[in-house]
Amino acid sequence: MRRRDFLMGVPGLLHGQAGGGLGFRLMDVTKQAGIEFVHNSGAFGKKYLPETLGPGCAFFDYDGDGWQDILLVNSMDWPGQKRKRSTPALYRNNRNGTFTDVTKQAGLDIEMYGLGVAVGDYNNDGHPDVFISCLGQSRLFQNTGRGTFIDVTAKSGLSGHDGFSTSAMWVDYDRDGLLDLFVTNYVRWTREGDIFCSFDGKIKSYCTPEAYRGATCWLFRNKGDGTFEDVTAKAGLLDTTSKSLGVALLDYGNDGWPDLFVANDTQPNKLYRNQKDGTFSEVAVRAGLAFSEDGRARAGMGVDVADLENSGLSSIIVTNFDNEMMGLYRGTKSGAFVDHAPKAGIGQATRRSLGFGCFFFDADLDGQLDLLIVNGHIDESISRARHDVTYAQPPHLFLNEGSGRFRDVAKLAGQEFSTPKVARGAAYGDFDNDGDLDVLITTNNGPAYLYRNDVTDGNRSVRVRLTGTKSNRDAIGAVVKFEAGELSGMRTVKSGSSYLSQSELPVTIGLGRREAVDKLVVMWPSGRTEEYRGLKAGRRYEVVEGKGITS
């Protein structure tokens, strides 16, 4: 029986009972967890474009205790409009369902116009470092391993790169065992050069990116001595026509070398194929990823990549503006992608949504990847200009029904979860270490939300944390292939993805009611391959490159 047919016959489901028949529910635990963050966009009536975009968020274990902590990015008041002090927020996991705000004692109580975040151990010392993308100068914070961070932006050679930086990603593009940094930039905007845009010619509204010139992304190569070198032009990535908001890692060539997919707003998306010599070639048009099926550049924002059908081929989700629907590009053996959104049940369901954060994750631990998309418009006055569009919008939670079909069950997953929001960032992580994936969502100029996932039907998982030795210590770029009875699939350890945000690095393999992963194959970024057998459901494992596995 297909899941869709089963759900239709579950008592209480048609009445919107939270979690009824889904096998899981997403519970709003923000208040009881002690998360009191509110984003400050700095908006004061001038309708400056950067106000519409943030903020991002991240799940990561900053203190190395095995429990996922939370980082929430913040912006700030504009110069001359000082009303309140706003900084990023770091919440330490207390291991009992609650968090403590440790921003000040961690040294992160610094004002900046932050937008996105990427976490990675760039110096391979075992402590995850934090890059915050900003309007102006972005910041790199080195983790000291003593519960604190120090700003090493200038020391690392990243200062002097002022931009309108959005999503970022750590990636070892040259496979030397050191994480490099890829940063997307949106447009060339300044307060002095701000353009007047309006729905009616009288009242100012937020401009679309078409009002401004594009800006190139940046690639910084890790030199191994704590500093970075700007290799954007040398790598063939200099492109001032881009208006980039999202970035994701994939292995398009299936050659073990990381490629880069960039979602652009009103400009063609880009797919940079790794040439294995320090350079990239742009192949998005050839791959079928640059445009919509009718040949238009859409407003790409969030992005994620996964082996969605457990076939060994990547699929790519790209969130777009309202009236454009999401793009769900399905990989084929020929190397081309086909937009499967209309046939998958995602296209029409997302036509009225303006999507930002998105990610593939196994919400119910049945072994198939599901899809979460958070939405929200950019202008609070949009309903006056367009009566069919709202500012706050509900999320989409598409359950994978198999055979390439999805069904939106957001309303059934929890009443608080499905409440309309002006959402932006989204990330997943198992903050309570119970084996399922919890959800973190940020809103523009509003609160953050933490949703605890309660899997109720007995499905279990195996969780695997990878540590590189010859590869980068975070094992970013590693591919994990698994077999459990008739179930098989592939997961990738990745930075970036979603929108301005980062999910946890450990890999979660949903097993349903199966008792074990029969075979697990780890393909390390270094080129090394390791195989393990008999990983029992309900357990967490650590795999260290070249040294084996422990439970």
Side-chain angles (χ1 to χ4, degrees), residues 185-187 209-210 212 214 241-245 264-267:
N185 287 291
Y186 194 33
V187 295
E210 294 169 301
Y212 298 96
T241 67
S242 289
K243 299 177 181 181
S244 306
L245 288 175
N264 282 317
D265 189 354
T266 71
Q267 292 294 311

Side-chain angles (χ1 to χ4, degrees), residues 28-284:
D28 185 350
V29 295
T30 312
K31 185 175 181 179
Q32 68 192 67
I35 306 295
E36 299 179 341
F37 174 85
V38 177
H39 173 244
N40 174 27
S41 71
F44 67 105
K46 288 288 188 179
K47 302 275 183 156
Y48 289 152
L49 181 61
E51 297 167 356
T52 66
L53 295 185
C57 57
F59 275 116
F60 76 120
D61 181 9
Y62 90 96
D63 53 2
D65 66 352
W67 295 73
Q68 294 295 314
D69 309 298
I70 288 173
L71 180 67
L72 299 164
V73 178
N74 212 342
S75 302
M76 59 183 287
D77 288 332
W78 296 103
Q81 297 294 324
K82 196 66 177 176
R83 294 167 292 176
K84 58 183 178 180
R85 191 171 189 273
S86 52
T87 73
L90 177 64
Y91 286 93
R92 187 187 66 221
N93 194 324
N94 295 328
R95 314 182 202 178
N96 61 2
T98 69
F99 291 79
T100 298
D101 187 340
V102 295
T103 311
K104 186 172 183 179
Q105 64 197 67
L108 292 176
D109 58 331
I110 300 172
E111 281 199 298
M112 64 193 91
Y113 203 97
L115 292 169
V117 56
V119 179
D121 183 4
Y122 78 90
N123 55 3
N124 286 337
D125 65 354
H127 309 298
D129 309 300
V130 172
F131 177 81
I132 297 180
S133 61
C134 299
L135 175 70
Q137 177 64 61
S138 297
R139 305 288 190 94
L140 176 61
F141 295 95
Q142 180 184 329
N143 190 331
T144 66
R146 299 185 296 274
T148 60
F149 292 83
I150 53 175
D151 188 337
V152 294
T153 308
K155 180 181 177 181
S156 67
L158 294 178
S159 61
H161 286 80
D162 284 17
F164 191 162
S165 298
T166 50
S167 292
M169 179 174 72
W170 294 98
V171 55
D172 183 6
Y173 82 96
D174 52 4
R175 289 177 46 173
D176 64 352
L178 299 167
L179 287 177
D180 311 297
L181 180 63
F182 185 83
V183 182
T184 66
N185 287 291
Y186 194 33
V187 295
R188 300 183 189 182
W189 178 92
T190 62
R191 294 176 69 204
E192 296 73 21
D194 183 65
I195 296 173
F196 181 90
C197 297
S198 174
F199 291 131
D200 58 9
K202 299 177 183 178
I203 300 175
K204 188 179 182 187
S205 62
Y206 288 110
C207 293
T208 72
E210 294 169 301
Y212 298 96
R213 296 168 60 194
T216 187
C217 299
W218 294 323
L219 177 63
F220 299 99
R221 186 181 69 85
N222 190 334
K223 296 167 68 176
D225 59 359
T227 67
F228 293 83
E229 172 191 7
D230 184 350
V231 295
T232 308
K234 186 188 302 183
L237 297 173
L238 185 64
D239 179 4
T240 57
T241 67
S242 289
K243 299 177 181 181
S244 306
L245 288 175
V247 61
L249 167 73
L250 75 161
D251 185 0
Y252 169 67
N254 288 321
D255 55 9
W257 289 77
D259 308 301
L260 311 172
F261 178 83
V262 176
N264 282 317
D265 189 354
T266 71
Q267 292 294 311
N269 298 322
K270 301 295 171 67
L271 174 58
Y272 296 106
R273 183 169 184 177
N274 197 322
Q275 300 295 107
K276 312 177 194 177
D277 59 0
T279 68
F280 293 81
S281 61
E282 206 287 294
V283 297

Side-chain angles (χ1 to χ4, degrees), residues 365-490:
L365 301 181
D366 68 348
Q368 297 190 99
L369 289 175
D370 310 300
L371 173 61
L372 184 142
I373 301 170
V374 301
N375 308 297
H377 216 279
I378 62 169
D379 198 316
E380 71 278 3
S381 62
I382 185 62
S383 58
R384 294 202 300 266
R386 296 175 53 196
H387 300 299
D388 62 335
V389 180
T390 59
Y391 184 44
Q393 300 178 358
H396 298 294
L397 178 55
F398 291 103
L399 273 194
N400 189 335
E401 297 184 316
S403 303
R405 295 287 302 176
F406 291 82
R407 178 170 180 258
D408 192 350
V409 298
K411 291 182 180 179
L412 308 177
Q415 182 178 354
E416 294 159 321
F417 171 75
S418 62
T419 301
K421 303 173 182 65
V422 187
R424 294 295 185 263
Y428 63 79
D430 182 10
F431 81 84
D432 52 0
N433 275 346
D434 65 351
D436 55 33
L437 295 172
D438 311 300
V439 173
L440 182 64
I441 297 174
T442 60
T443 64
N444 184 259
N445 226 31
Y449 295 89
L450 178 63
Y451 295 96
R452 188 188 67 223
N453 188 353
D454 294 332
V455 172
T456 58
D457 64 357
N459 286 354
R460 292 185 294 171
S461 68
V462 163
R463 288 182 39 89
V464 182
R465 192 181 90 174
L466 304 182
T467 301
T469 52
K470 185 177 181 182
S471 304
N472 67 84
R473 188 178 177 92
D474 286 332
I476 290 173
V479 174
V480 177
K481 294 184 176 181
F482 62 91
E483 296 177 8
E486 79 287 359
L487 177 68
S488 63
M490 179 180 78

